[in-house]
Amino acid sequence: MHKILTIGEILVEIIATEKGDGFRKATPLIGPFPSGAPAIFIDQAGKLGQPCAIISRVGGDDFGTVNLERLKRDGVDISGIEVDPLATTGSAFVRYRPDGSRAFVFNIRDSACGKITLDERMTRLVGECSHVHVMGSSLYAPSVVESILAAIGIVKAGGGTVSFDPNLRPEILKSPGMREALLTVLAETDLFLPSGDELFLFTEAKTESQAVAELLASGIKAVVVKRGAAGASYFDAGAALSLPGFPVEEIDPTGAGDCFGATFVSFWLNGASPREALEFAAASGARAVMHFGPMEGASTRAELERFISEQQA
Ligand code: ATP
Ligand code: MG
């Protein structure tokens, strides 16, 4: 069976309970919630029973423990998470603006996961994996970029595959070397999972079909475009299909793309048809937004099956 690897940030998320623009005045908060895009992704994969691992670092603090316990409980191999007693676990403060957009204060680069290296033990773990998933948000520091590119090299040399979700936040796009790193990962990508306009990040194309055609011609095997509440579309050389979003009440959109991605990748790797993978992924994204907290809405396969059959009833 395939084993999925991801490498990147592990954080706690602390959420303002009242909408507003940023954090310049005292405001009520709730948290810590386990978070970090690759952590949410891998937690969702683990919940599906998919063998999976994450390489990252946390501090020897409660914020680290919150994440380690959740990932372990949900079936993720956490042997690649190093606990650094001298460092602090990453964090993100998030506040929703009235228009639905989000303001973040991140502590990632200077946190425990700001440095990730593939030592001998980590390299052995990479060798157990047949698929790497890359979050663009994880390309925040040179050591992490280096580790991700090295892991891609090892997995691809063994005949494995790569999926890539650009997952870009404006706050992160300014990181030095970010664009070059994104392009390097894209060149190794088999399955590309952009959200909305991220489809156009790496192309001059003006229309969606031109952009998709260009990406597929460059060697990418499949493109899945995420469209929030409006659903998602799948494209490969021979097929194009779209599914609407499931009609649900959105409580907290954070984590939808990560849960969607993990579910799509798990089904895709295990030989599901694009339609089945897209339907389960859309169910996973929809269930994610129904729960408050980034990782709180991750689903088991039984929960997805029940949700889909309830929706069809
Ligand atoms: P993230 O904010 O986690 O990075 P994203 O922008 O990568 O998310 P979205 O498009 O927001 O990804 O969500 C992924 C998928 O989840 C969508 O394609 C859709 O299938 C489902 N989804 C997201 N929001 C909703 C919603 N409000 N109602 C129903 N389904 C949703
Ligand atoms: Mg979104």
Side-chain angles (χ1 to χ4, degrees):
M1 196 166 181
H2 286 285
K3 183 166 180 172
I4 299 177
L5 175 72
T6 193
I7 300 180
E9 67 276 23
I10 289 182
L11 320 169
V12 289
E13 191 155 310
I14 296 170
I15 307 170
T17 55
E18 290 166 13
K19 288 188 175 164
D21 189 18
F23 291 97
R24 293 178 195 194
K25 285 198 208 106
T27 188
L29 301 163
I30 185 166
F33 291 101
S35 190
I40 301 165
F41 175 96
I42 215 69
D43 188 74
Q44 172 59 88
K47 274 199 122 174
L48 289 172
Q50 169 66 49
C52 60
I54 182 167
I55 292 179
S56 187
R57 298 177 88 247
V58 295
D61 50 31
D62 286 350
F63 288 177
T65 305
V66 160
N67 277 288
L68 288 167
E69 286 183 350
R70 174 64 62 88
L71 293 171
K72 185 162 185 230
R73 183 198 82 183
D74 289 344
V76 178
D77 174 352
I78 58 166
S79 66
I81 306 176
E82 196 183 333
V83 180
D84 178 351
L86 299 178
T88 304
T89 302
S91 59
F93 289 75
V94 58
R95 188 169 193 191
Y96 287 93
R97 298 191 186 93
D99 69 1
S101 66
R102 290 170 281 191
F104 289 97
V105 175
F106 286 120
N107 171 32
I108 300 178
R109 249 171 285 171
D110 297 319
S111 77
C113 67
K115 269 198 321 263
I116 295 176
T117 41
L118 291 191
D119 60 16
E120 219 174 286
R121 192 170 67 82
M122 298 299 172
T123 306
R124 269 201 306 278
L125 177 60
V126 176
E128 292 171 17
C129 298
S130 51
H131 182 87
V132 185
H133 179 76
V134 183
M135 288 289 182
S137 57
S138 302
L139 306 171
Y140 51 82
S143 76
V144 190
V145 173
E146 231 173 80
S147 300
I148 288 173
L149 295 180
I152 288 176
I154 294 168
V155 167
K156 285 227 129 175
T161 45
V162 172
S163 51
F164 177 33
D165 179 345
N167 200 40
L168 290 177
R169 306 274 176 264
E171 288 88 342
I172 289 172
L173 198 51
K174 294 175 227 147
S175 294
M178 179 62 122
R179 203 176 162 78
E180 295 70 24
L182 290 167
L183 283 168
T184 309
V185 173
L186 191 71
E188 300 291 340
T189 295
D190 299 287
L191 174 62
F192 185 47
L193 298 146
S195 169
D197 283 348
E198 290 169 356
L199 179 65
F200 298 100
L201 273 171
F202 309 106
T203 160
E204 303 279 293
K206 293 286 174 287
T207 67
E208 183 173 287
S209 56
Q210 279 171 356
V212 167
E214 208 177 291
L215 288 162
L216 293 174
S218 77
I220 291 172
K221 294 194 191 83
V223 178
V224 180
V225 180
K226 294 169 279 167
R227 308 183 201 277
S233 304
Y234 170 92
F235 305 92
D236 66 22
L241 67 110
S242 291
L243 289 184
F246 288 101
V248 298
E249 191 195 347
E250 184 177 289
I251 307 285
D252 179 356
T254 305
D258 311 328
C259 290
F260 174 100
T263 303
F264 190 89
V265 170
S266 299
F267 276 73
W268 183 78
L269 279 176
N270 291 300
S273 70
R275 171 167 296 277
E276 189 187 13
L278 201 61
E279 183 175 44
F280 274 84
S284 185
R287 276 186 46 88
V289 306
M290 293 164 68
H291 296 82
F292 190 81
M295 205 186 275
E296 306 309 304
S299 308
T300 62
R301 185 175 175 124
E303 284 167 339
L304 296 179
E305 282 168 352
R306 199 174 324 127
F307 176 81
I308 291 169
S309 67
E310 280 165 8
Q311 292 285 324
Q312 286 163 346

